[in-house]
Amino acid sequence: MPSSPVPSRATPRPTTLRDVAEAAGVSIKTVSNVVNDHPHVRPEMREKVKAFIAELDYRPNGIGRQLRQGRTGLVALALPDLTSPYYGELASTLVDVARERGLTLLVEQTDGDLDREREVATGFPVRLVDGLIFAPQSLPVDEFKQRRDTTPAVLVGEYGEGSGFDRVTIDSVDLGDRAVRHLLERGRRTIAFVGDKHRDAVRPPVVAQRIEGYRRALRRARVPFDPELVRPLAEWTRRDGAEGATALLRDRPDVDAVFAANDLIAFGVVHALRGLGLRVPQDVAVLGVDDVEQAQYSAPTLTSVALDRSEMAEMALRLLSDRLAGYDGPERLLTVTGRLVVRESTAG
Amino acid sequence: MPSSPVPSRATPRPTTLRDVAEAAGVSIKTVSNVVNDHPHVRPEMREKVKAFIAELDYRPNGIGRQLRQGRTGLVALALPDLTSPYYGELASTLVDVARERGLTLLVEQTDGDLDREREVATGFPVRLVDGLIFAPQSLPVDEFKQRRDTTPAVLVGEYGEGSGFDRVTIDSVDLGDRAVRHLLERGRRTIAFVGDKHRDAVRPPVVAQRIEGYRRALRRARVPFDPELVRPLAEWTRRDGAEGATALLRDRPDVDAVFAANDLIAFGVVHALRGLGLRVPQDVAVLGVDDVEQAQYSAPTLTSVALDRSEMAEMALRLLSDRLAGYDGPERLLTVTGRLVVRESTAG
DNA sequence: TCGCGTTCTTGCAACGTTGGAAGGCAGTCA
DNA sequence: TGACTGCCTTCCAACGTTGCAAGAACGCGA
């Protein structure tokens, strides 16, 4: 009994070079030459083959091509969390810039979790990407240094000093200094830092640097450093920022300014202060970092230190592209500096 | 003269099955059997090979494997923009859910641009992904319907009625109805809709549905529909929301409530009202859609219609996984309904 | 008519992997 | 000792593509 050939709605086998070649009555290689605009094909033949390509909707199979060429055009982007506006905006510009360079990003979220970051550093269990753009939070630098995976990697963020890898970094000491100097200039003297963090009893570099900048500004202004004003948070979120501010004001009702480690924390802080009946900026000034879009629209609008995300994206991809193109020199470091954007939350 | 064999710091060729096989003195296939936990390998041999795998840091080359297996485990995610909190949060959960299912997402941004969306629909010029999750904005459904690419696709959002594709959709008529009913219940009568939009003189379905819900609620309450209260915006952004609100209040100083098409617009509206010296909610109540995280922390906190992003992500990946697993039935539709979350911006 | 160069086209091999079939070996039983 | 069995290992082919080398067709001049 002949099997009834019911045409399936299911994915038929996609068209391959061979199909086009057979249809056009030429060899596979000739079709390949047409697809890749290689010479040695008569114009009329070229046209003919192109017609068949269009008719059969042939599109090269990336896998075959990449197997042959040894590269995929894929780059892994590993960052803590796409939902935070900072990383979301960074990822967004990275996707665009990568596209311009003919690369496609593939996204991994680590949640800043040590194990997940370790996996990323070790290398994905299956080799698929040509490169890695990585924004680690918890991973000890020494561990990353011993990475055996040989695909080029670019580190983004304050993390990675001494790792030997290309980096796009932020001068967060300077950033903290500028932020706190601004608050001091506005006459504030009891300035809290909200967003201290520890991983295994060590401050991640981003935290250490922002606190160092904070202390540097205080020192210059001869305002004594008060450890009680440096407030820890479990996570840099609005929620924890709000909780942290509530605790801060219970312990130290005398604070007149808050330097929040990022804008999300700052939003949480403002929210909590409002709940406590305190006015921003009259009673307490608040300043954040990242200058996320929302900072221009919050009430009050938020003073923040802006970091140029598209510049960072450009830099990261330049570093990576050079490695992919074979650059084999010593690691390179590009640094972004913050720009203070003054708004209502620190007025007066 | 012998060439000096300077060990290059450049990417050495990664370890392959062949390397491991040679090192261990067995055949390639035996190593492959060990890697894939296949039978017919003596335990001691298995251990021995595993030792060499670890020593040489062998990890299978994804391309070779996928070429053989005909699939990549990659899924393209095409959405307008990662920076918007709604899409950022959606992408974030999609990435996580996909990971659980052994899939990796590869991100494309369309900016809601017709040409970019057309490219996505047509299929990427190089075949690389097993499936597509797509949130279109501008593409006419008829055009998508004629898509020749045979990789399974799932549409996310109000878009896609009659396309014949699997969809995860939002009941935005119901959503608009609930939102406006809430405003009516609070005694508001002059309710504006901010966020009308046209593409080629046609409203995208998301807009059409929210406006229909708005009108339905008015009709039920016997409040006459006033076209002047339906306000167009070029983009659903904070900036345009603010501009739209300014224009609205100039034309119609009598409005007592704004139903914003999404939360970003709502933030812009609140910002503009504040600039005009109007109080929210006393003078004008404001309500948004999406219930982004920030809605809980803005001042005033924002009433919004929540959409369960993780439910949507689960649904989208379930639909897609089934197709990848060979499901070949008719298209399926899963619908998410909104949940009103009442906060300060519509109080009193 | 032949040889030669040019232009176009084809065949072969290889990238790294895995399924299936075939091969080798040791042990068991007659 | 030989045949058989079962286990372990190897060999072969194929996935779709492209670089290289070789082959075919053609035109032109001698």
mmCIF file of all heavy atoms in Angstrom, chain A residues 67-109:
data_model
loop_
_atom_site.group_PDB
_atom_site.id
_atom_site.type_symbol
_atom_site.label_atom_id
_atom_site.label_comp_id
_atom_site.label_asym_id
_atom_site.label_seq_id
_atom_site.Cartn_x
_atom_site.Cartn_y
_atom_site.Cartn_z
ATOM 1 N N LEU A 67 30.571 26.813 10.050
ATOM 2 C CA LEU A 67 31.437 25.667 10.278
ATOM 3 C C LEU A 67 32.655 25.805 9.370
ATOM 4 O O LEU A 67 33.795 25.643 9.780
ATOM 5 C CB LEU A 67 30.693 24.385 9.948
ATOM 6 C CG LEU A 67 31.520 23.116 10.106
ATOM 7 C CD1 LEU A 67 31.976 22.969 11.544
ATOM 8 C CD2 LEU A 67 30.707 21.904 9.694
ATOM 9 N N ARG A 68 32.359 26.148 8.152
ATOM 10 C CA ARG A 68 33.427 26.304 7.172
ATOM 11 C C ARG A 68 34.371 27.440 7.580
ATOM 12 O O ARG A 68 35.589 27.341 7.485
ATOM 13 C CB ARG A 68 32.783 26.610 5.816
ATOM 14 C CG ARG A 68 33.717 26.645 4.644
ATOM 15 C CD ARG A 68 34.390 25.320 4.479
ATOM 16 N NE ARG A 68 35.814 25.558 4.466
ATOM 17 C CZ ARG A 68 36.586 25.442 3.400
ATOM 18 N NH1 ARG A 68 36.103 24.981 2.293
ATOM 19 N NH2 ARG A 68 37.839 25.745 3.463
ATOM 20 N N GLN A 69 33.777 28.543 8.019
ATOM 21 C CA GLN A 69 34.598 29.727 8.273
ATOM 22 C C GLN A 69 35.143 29.790 9.692
ATOM 23 O O GLN A 69 35.975 30.639 9.994
ATOM 24 C CB GLN A 69 33.775 30.988 7.987
ATOM 25 C CG GLN A 69 33.349 31.055 6.527
ATOM 26 C CD GLN A 69 32.445 32.237 6.259
ATOM 27 O OE1 GLN A 69 31.865 32.805 7.181
ATOM 28 N NE2 GLN A 69 32.322 32.591 4.992
ATOM 29 N N GLY A 70 34.657 28.924 10.523
ATOM 30 C CA GLY A 70 35.188 28.898 11.883
ATOM 31 C C GLY A 70 34.721 30.021 12.772
ATOM 32 O O GLY A 70 35.241 30.238 13.851
ATOM 33 N N ARG A 71 33.742 30.783 12.331
ATOM 34 C CA ARG A 71 33.205 31.823 13.202
ATOM 35 C C ARG A 71 31.708 31.938 13.023
ATOM 36 O O ARG A 71 31.167 31.554 11.987
ATOM 37 C CB ARG A 71 33.888 33.157 12.972
ATOM 38 C CG ARG A 71 33.931 33.587 11.513
ATOM 39 C CD ARG A 71 34.833 34.790 11.342
ATOM 40 N NE ARG A 71 34.398 35.875 12.184
ATOM 41 C CZ ARG A 71 33.417 36.730 11.847
ATOM 42 N NH1 ARG A 71 32.802 36.600 10.713
ATOM 43 N NH2 ARG A 71 33.069 37.709 12.650
ATOM 44 N N THR A 72 31.052 32.487 14.055
ATOM 45 C CA THR A 72 29.593 32.489 14.038
ATOM 46 C C THR A 72 29.006 33.891 13.903
ATOM 47 O O THR A 72 27.834 34.033 13.599
ATOM 48 C CB THR A 72 29.036 31.896 15.348
ATOM 49 O OG1 THR A 72 29.514 32.687 16.437
ATOM 50 C CG2 THR A 72 29.477 30.462 15.503
ATOM 51 N N GLY A 73 29.802 34.902 14.182
ATOM 52 C CA GLY A 73 29.241 36.253 14.199
ATOM 53 C C GLY A 73 28.372 36.492 15.414
ATOM 54 O O GLY A 73 27.671 37.483 15.501
ATOM 55 N N LEU A 74 28.435 35.578 16.374
ATOM 56 C CA LEU A 74 27.640 35.729 17.595
ATOM 57 C C LEU A 74 28.539 36.164 18.747
ATOM 58 O O LEU A 74 29.666 35.700 18.867
ATOM 59 C CB LEU A 74 26.968 34.406 17.962
ATOM 60 C CG LEU A 74 25.922 33.880 16.998
ATOM 61 C CD1 LEU A 74 25.427 32.511 17.455
ATOM 62 C CD2 LEU A 74 24.764 34.855 16.925
ATOM 63 N N VAL A 75 28.019 37.045 19.549
ATOM 64 C CA VAL A 75 28.739 37.500 20.727
ATOM 65 C C VAL A 75 27.820 37.356 21.928
ATOM 66 O O VAL A 75 26.661 37.780 21.872
ATOM 67 C CB VAL A 75 29.168 38.975 20.584
ATOM 68 C CG1 VAL A 75 29.738 39.511 21.875
ATOM 69 C CG2 VAL A 75 30.169 39.124 19.452
ATOM 70 N N ALA A 76 28.309 36.751 22.982
ATOM 71 C CA ALA A 76 27.501 36.631 24.184
ATOM 72 C C ALA A 76 27.592 37.914 24.997
ATOM 73 O O ALA A 76 28.670 38.490 25.137
ATOM 74 C CB ALA A 76 27.984 35.452 25.031
ATOM 75 N N LEU A 77 26.460 38.353 25.487
ATOM 76 C CA LEU A 77 26.428 39.486 26.399
ATOM 77 C C LEU A 77 25.922 38.955 27.732
ATOM 78 O O LEU A 77 24.793 38.475 27.808
ATOM 79 C CB LEU A 77 25.489 40.582 25.878
ATOM 80 C CG LEU A 77 25.183 41.709 26.854
ATOM 81 C CD1 LEU A 77 26.448 42.479 27.208
ATOM 82 C CD2 LEU A 77 24.142 42.661 26.281
ATOM 83 N N ALA A 78 26.765 39.030 28.738
ATOM 84 C CA ALA A 78 26.366 38.512 30.046
ATOM 85 C C ALA A 78 26.335 39.659 31.033
ATOM 86 O O ALA A 78 27.362 40.288 31.301
ATOM 87 C CB ALA A 78 27.344 37.433 30.513
ATOM 88 N N LEU A 79 25.159 39.941 31.551
ATOM 89 C CA LEU A 79 25.036 41.020 32.523
ATOM 90 C C LEU A 79 24.048 40.608 33.591
ATOM 91 O O LEU A 79 23.327 39.618 33.447
ATOM 92 C CB LEU A 79 24.633 42.327 31.846
ATOM 93 C CG LEU A 79 23.650 42.289 30.697
ATOM 94 C CD1 LEU A 79 22.272 41.968 31.205
ATOM 95 C CD2 LEU A 79 23.619 43.624 29.987
ATOM 96 N N PRO A 80 24.037 41.353 34.702
ATOM 97 C CA PRO A 80 23.235 40.899 35.828
ATOM 98 C C PRO A 80 21.750 40.799 35.502
ATOM 99 O O PRO A 80 21.099 39.819 35.837
ATOM 100 C CB PRO A 80 23.477 41.976 36.887
ATOM 101 C CG PRO A 80 24.801 42.564 36.542
ATOM 102 C CD PRO A 80 24.865 42.523 35.051
ATOM 103 N N ASP A 81 21.202 41.791 34.789
ATOM 104 C CA ASP A 81 19.753 41.848 34.771
ATOM 105 C C ASP A 81 19.280 42.871 33.746
ATOM 106 O O ASP A 81 19.644 44.028 33.809
ATOM 107 C CB ASP A 81 19.303 42.284 36.171
ATOM 108 C CG ASP A 81 17.809 42.436 36.248
ATOM 109 O OD1 ASP A 81 17.119 41.876 35.398
ATOM 110 O OD2 ASP A 81 17.342 43.132 37.173
ATOM 111 N N LEU A 82 18.460 42.424 32.839
ATOM 112 C CA LEU A 82 17.975 43.332 31.799
ATOM 113 C C LEU A 82 16.932 44.316 32.306
ATOM 114 O O LEU A 82 16.661 45.322 31.655
ATOM 115 C CB LEU A 82 17.331 42.525 30.661
ATOM 116 C CG LEU A 82 18.243 42.038 29.554
ATOM 117 C CD1 LEU A 82 17.420 41.277 28.526
ATOM 118 C CD2 LEU A 82 18.935 43.218 28.888
ATOM 119 N N THR A 83 16.325 44.026 33.441
ATOM 120 C CA THR A 83 15.230 44.895 33.870
ATOM 121 C C THR A 83 15.727 46.194 34.470
ATOM 122 O O THR A 83 14.990 47.169 34.504
ATOM 123 C CB THR A 83 14.331 44.211 34.919
ATOM 124 O OG1 THR A 83 15.113 43.973 36.087
ATOM 125 C CG2 THR A 83 13.793 42.894 34.399
ATOM 126 N N SER A 84 16.938 46.203 34.976
ATOM 127 C CA SER A 84 17.403 47.470 35.525
ATOM 128 C C SER A 84 17.632 48.427 34.373
ATOM 129 O O SER A 84 18.156 48.040 33.338
ATOM 130 C CB SER A 84 18.690 47.266 36.322
ATOM 131 O OG SER A 84 19.793 47.720 35.600
ATOM 132 N N PRO A 85 17.170 49.682 34.534
ATOM 133 C CA PRO A 85 17.252 50.607 33.404
ATOM 134 C C PRO A 85 18.689 50.780 32.919
ATOM 135 O O PRO A 85 18.930 50.875 31.721
ATOM 136 C CB PRO A 85 16.717 51.922 33.979
ATOM 137 C CG PRO A 85 15.979 51.563 35.207
ATOM 138 C CD PRO A 85 16.549 50.280 35.713
ATOM 139 N N TYR A 86 19.622 50.758 33.826
ATOM 140 C CA TYR A 86 21.004 50.956 33.422
ATOM 141 C C TYR A 86 21.451 49.859 32.472
ATOM 142 O O TYR A 86 21.943 50.120 31.371
ATOM 143 C CB TYR A 86 21.912 50.996 34.657
ATOM 144 C CG TYR A 86 23.373 50.999 34.319
ATOM 145 C CD1 TYR A 86 23.985 52.125 33.794
ATOM 146 C CD2 TYR A 86 24.152 49.858 34.519
ATOM 147 C CE1 TYR A 86 25.325 52.127 33.464
ATOM 148 C CE2 TYR A 86 25.491 49.840 34.202
ATOM 149 C CZ TYR A 86 26.080 50.985 33.679
ATOM 150 O OH TYR A 86 27.403 50.967 33.358
ATOM 151 N N TYR A 87 21.279 48.623 32.864
ATOM 152 C CA TYR A 87 21.715 47.521 32.012
ATOM 153 C C TYR A 87 20.824 47.390 30.779
ATOM 154 O O TYR A 87 21.287 47.005 29.710
ATOM 155 C CB TYR A 87 21.752 46.213 32.795
ATOM 156 C CG TYR A 87 22.929 46.143 33.733
ATOM 157 C CD1 TYR A 87 22.760 46.072 35.107
ATOM 158 C CD2 TYR A 87 24.226 46.174 33.234
ATOM 159 C CE1 TYR A 87 23.851 46.015 35.964
ATOM 160 C CE2 TYR A 87 25.320 46.121 34.077
ATOM 161 C CZ TYR A 87 25.127 46.045 35.446
ATOM 162 O OH TYR A 87 26.208 45.996 36.278
ATOM 163 N N GLY A 88 19.560 47.717 30.937
ATOM 164 C CA GLY A 88 18.663 47.673 29.790
ATOM 165 C C GLY A 88 19.116 48.644 28.714
ATOM 166 O O GLY A 88 19.210 48.300 27.536
ATOM 167 N N GLU A 89 19.437 49.854 29.136
ATOM 168 C CA GLU A 89 19.879 50.851 28.163
ATOM 169 C C GLU A 89 21.231 50.470 27.575
ATOM 170 O O GLU A 89 21.492 50.662 26.381
ATOM 171 C CB GLU A 89 19.947 52.244 28.812
ATOM 172 C CG GLU A 89 18.561 52.782 29.146
ATOM 173 C CD GLU A 89 18.601 54.110 29.918
ATOM 174 O OE1 GLU A 89 19.641 54.797 29.888
ATOM 175 O OE2 GLU A 89 17.587 54.450 30.549
ATOM 176 N N LEU A 90 22.090 49.916 28.401
ATOM 177 C CA LEU A 90 23.397 49.478 27.902
ATOM 178 C C LEU A 90 23.223 48.353 26.874
ATOM 179 O O LEU A 90 23.801 48.385 25.781
ATOM 180 C CB LEU A 90 24.267 49.009 29.066
ATOM 181 C CG LEU A 90 25.674 48.561 28.703
ATOM 182 C CD1 LEU A 90 26.467 49.707 28.087
ATOM 183 C CD2 LEU A 90 26.412 48.024 29.940
ATOM 184 N N ALA A 91 22.402 47.382 27.226
ATOM 185 C CA ALA A 91 22.172 46.258 26.317
ATOM 186 C C ALA A 91 21.584 46.763 25.005
ATOM 187 O O ALA A 91 21.978 46.327 23.921
ATOM 188 C CB ALA A 91 21.225 45.247 26.956
ATOM 189 N N SER A 92 20.665 47.693 25.116
ATOM 190 C CA SER A 92 20.023 48.218 23.924
ATOM 191 C C SER A 92 21.042 48.847 22.970
ATOM 192 O O SER A 92 21.044 48.561 21.770
ATOM 193 C CB SER A 92 18.980 49.251 24.336
ATOM 194 O OG SER A 92 18.459 49.904 23.211
ATOM 195 N N THR A 93 21.918 49.688 23.482
ATOM 196 C CA THR A 93 22.905 50.303 22.583
ATOM 197 C C THR A 93 23.911 49.264 22.108
ATOM 198 O O THR A 93 24.354 49.314 20.962
ATOM 199 C CB THR A 93 23.653 51.478 23.247
ATOM 200 O OG1 THR A 93 24.195 51.038 24.481
ATOM 201 C CG2 THR A 93 22.711 52.625 23.514
ATOM 202 N N LEU A 94 24.241 48.309 22.946
ATOM 203 C CA LEU A 94 25.160 47.252 22.506
ATOM 204 C C LEU A 94 24.578 46.470 21.340
ATOM 205 O O LEU A 94 25.271 46.174 20.368
ATOM 206 C CB LEU A 94 25.479 46.305 23.667
ATOM 207 C CG LEU A 94 26.535 46.796 24.659
ATOM 208 C CD1 LEU A 94 26.576 45.906 25.890
ATOM 209 C CD2 LEU A 94 27.916 46.837 24.007
ATOM 210 N N VAL A 95 23.290 46.157 21.440
ATOM 211 C CA VAL A 95 22.653 45.418 20.354
ATOM 212 C C VAL A 95 22.762 46.207 19.052
ATOM 213 O O VAL A 95 23.124 45.673 18.001
ATOM 214 C CB VAL A 95 21.169 45.136 20.680
ATOM 215 C CG1 VAL A 95 20.419 44.678 19.437
ATOM 216 C CG2 VAL A 95 21.061 44.097 21.774
ATOM 217 N N ASP A 96 22.486 47.503 19.138
ATOM 218 C CA ASP A 96 22.536 48.325 17.926
ATOM 219 C C ASP A 96 23.949 48.432 17.362
ATOM 220 O O ASP A 96 24.167 48.300 16.161
ATOM 221 C CB ASP A 96 21.993 49.726 18.220
ATOM 222 C CG ASP A 96 20.482 49.719 18.385
ATOM 223 O OD1 ASP A 96 19.847 48.747 17.943
ATOM 224 O OD2 ASP A 96 19.943 50.679 18.969
ATOM 225 N N VAL A 97 24.897 48.695 18.243
ATOM 226 C CA VAL A 97 26.271 48.861 17.771
ATOM 227 C C VAL A 97 26.805 47.549 17.201
ATOM 228 O O VAL A 97 27.494 47.532 16.182
ATOM 229 C CB VAL A 97 27.180 49.361 18.918
ATOM 230 C CG1 VAL A 97 28.612 49.441 18.458
ATOM 231 C CG2 VAL A 97 26.716 50.712 19.411
ATOM 232 N N ALA A 98 26.462 46.453 17.839
ATOM 233 C CA ALA A 98 26.906 45.148 17.344
ATOM 234 C C ALA A 98 26.337 44.899 15.956
ATOM 235 O O ALA A 98 27.038 44.442 15.050
ATOM 236 C CB ALA A 98 26.467 44.046 18.298
ATOM 237 N N ARG A 99 25.100 45.229 15.795
ATOM 238 C CA ARG A 99 24.449 45.043 14.501
ATOM 239 C C ARG A 99 25.188 45.787 13.407
ATOM 240 O O ARG A 99 25.403 45.267 12.317
ATOM 241 C CB ARG A 99 23.011 45.533 14.611
ATOM 242 C CG ARG A 99 22.137 45.196 13.442
ATOM 243 C CD ARG A 99 20.810 45.934 13.574
ATOM 244 N NE ARG A 99 20.258 46.208 12.267
ATOM 245 C CZ ARG A 99 19.480 45.364 11.588
ATOM 246 N NH1 ARG A 99 19.165 44.220 12.135
ATOM 247 N NH2 ARG A 99 19.033 45.665 10.399
ATOM 248 N N GLU A 100 25.553 47.023 13.713
ATOM 249 C CA GLU A 100 26.315 47.806 12.730
ATOM 250 C C GLU A 100 27.596 47.089 12.316
ATOM 251 O O GLU A 100 28.081 47.246 11.207
ATOM 252 C CB GLU A 100 26.703 49.170 13.321
ATOM 253 C CG GLU A 100 25.549 50.144 13.419
ATOM 254 C CD GLU A 100 25.927 51.351 14.278
ATOM 255 O OE1 GLU A 100 27.146 51.563 14.488
ATOM 256 O OE2 GLU A 100 25.022 52.065 14.736
ATOM 257 N N ARG A 101 28.157 46.353 13.232
ATOM 258 C CA ARG A 101 29.397 45.665 12.932
ATOM 259 C C ARG A 101 29.168 44.239 12.431
ATOM 260 O O ARG A 101 30.111 43.454 12.349
ATOM 261 C CB ARG A 101 30.280 45.623 14.177
ATOM 262 C CG ARG A 101 30.773 46.993 14.599
ATOM 263 C CD ARG A 101 31.630 46.893 15.839
ATOM 264 N NE ARG A 101 32.124 48.202 16.234
ATOM 265 C CZ ARG A 101 33.365 48.624 15.992
ATOM 266 N NH1 ARG A 101 34.227 47.850 15.391
ATOM 267 N NH2 ARG A 101 33.752 49.828 16.391
ATOM 268 N N GLY A 102 27.935 43.923 12.151
ATOM 269 C CA GLY A 102 27.654 42.596 11.611
ATOM 270 C C GLY A 102 27.672 41.497 12.657
ATOM 271 O O GLY A 102 27.773 40.320 12.329
ATOM 272 N N LEU A 103 27.562 41.878 13.909
ATOM 273 C CA LEU A 103 27.546 40.871 14.974
ATOM 274 C C LEU A 103 26.159 40.816 15.606
ATOM 275 O O LEU A 103 25.422 41.801 15.588
ATOM 276 C CB LEU A 103 28.576 41.229 16.049
ATOM 277 C CG LEU A 103 30.024 41.269 15.579
ATOM 278 C CD1 LEU A 103 30.916 41.873 16.652
ATOM 279 C CD2 LEU A 103 30.492 39.858 15.231
ATOM 280 N N THR A 104 25.824 39.676 16.156
ATOM 281 C CA THR A 104 24.545 39.523 16.829
ATOM 282 C C THR A 104 24.781 39.141 18.278
ATOM 283 O O THR A 104 25.625 38.307 18.576
ATOM 284 C CB THR A 104 23.706 38.431 16.151
ATOM 285 O OG1 THR A 104 23.558 38.761 14.771
ATOM 286 C CG2 THR A 104 22.334 38.335 16.775
ATOM 287 N N LEU A 105 24.037 39.786 19.157
ATOM 288 C CA LEU A 105 24.225 39.520 20.578
ATOM 289 C C LEU A 105 23.256 38.465 21.056
ATOM 290 O O LEU A 105 22.102 38.412 20.649
ATOM 291 C CB LEU A 105 23.998 40.784 21.405
ATOM 292 C CG LEU A 105 25.049 41.872 21.321
ATOM 293 C CD1 LEU A 105 24.831 42.864 22.440
ATOM 294 C CD2 LEU A 105 26.438 41.293 21.395
ATOM 295 N N LEU A 106 23.753 37.721 21.984
ATOM 296 C CA LEU A 106 23.009 36.625 22.571
ATOM 297 C C LEU A 106 23.095 36.887 24.073
ATOM 298 O O LEU A 106 24.172 37.169 24.592
ATOM 299 C CB LEU A 106 23.774 35.445 22.093
ATOM 300 C CG LEU A 106 23.658 34.046 22.370
ATOM 301 C CD1 LEU A 106 24.352 33.314 21.224
ATOM 302 C CD2 LEU A 106 24.435 33.774 23.610
ATOM 303 N N VAL A 107 21.947 36.936 24.705
ATOM 304 C CA VAL A 107 21.893 37.490 26.053
ATOM 305 C C VAL A 107 21.844 36.434 27.151
ATOM 306 O O VAL A 107 21.073 35.477 27.070
ATOM 307 C CB VAL A 107 20.675 38.419 26.213
ATOM 308 C CG1 VAL A 107 20.626 38.999 27.604
ATOM 309 C CG2 VAL A 107 20.725 39.524 25.184
ATOM 310 N N GLU A 108 22.666 36.626 28.139
ATOM 311 C CA GLU A 108 22.648 35.801 29.350
ATOM 312 C C GLU A 108 22.469 36.719 30.552
ATOM 313 O O GLU A 108 23.100 37.772 30.621
ATOM 314 C CB GLU A 108 24.004 35.091 29.523
ATOM 315 C CG GLU A 108 24.298 34.034 28.505
ATOM 316 C CD GLU A 108 23.609 32.709 28.831
ATOM 317 O OE1 GLU A 108 23.390 32.443 30.028
ATOM 318 O OE2 GLU A 108 23.279 31.991 27.879
ATOM 319 N N GLN A 109 21.638 36.304 31.495
ATOM 320 C CA GLN A 109 21.496 37.075 32.728
ATOM 321 C C GLN A 109 22.094 36.294 33.893
ATOM 322 O O GLN A 109 21.805 35.118 34.065
ATOM 323 C CB GLN A 109 20.024 37.351 33.023
ATOM 324 C CG GLN A 109 19.396 38.287 32.020
ATOM 325 C CD GLN A 109 17.965 38.660 32.397
ATOM 326 O OE1 GLN A 109 17.685 39.762 32.805
ATOM 327 N NE2 GLN A 109 17.054 37.743 32.247
#
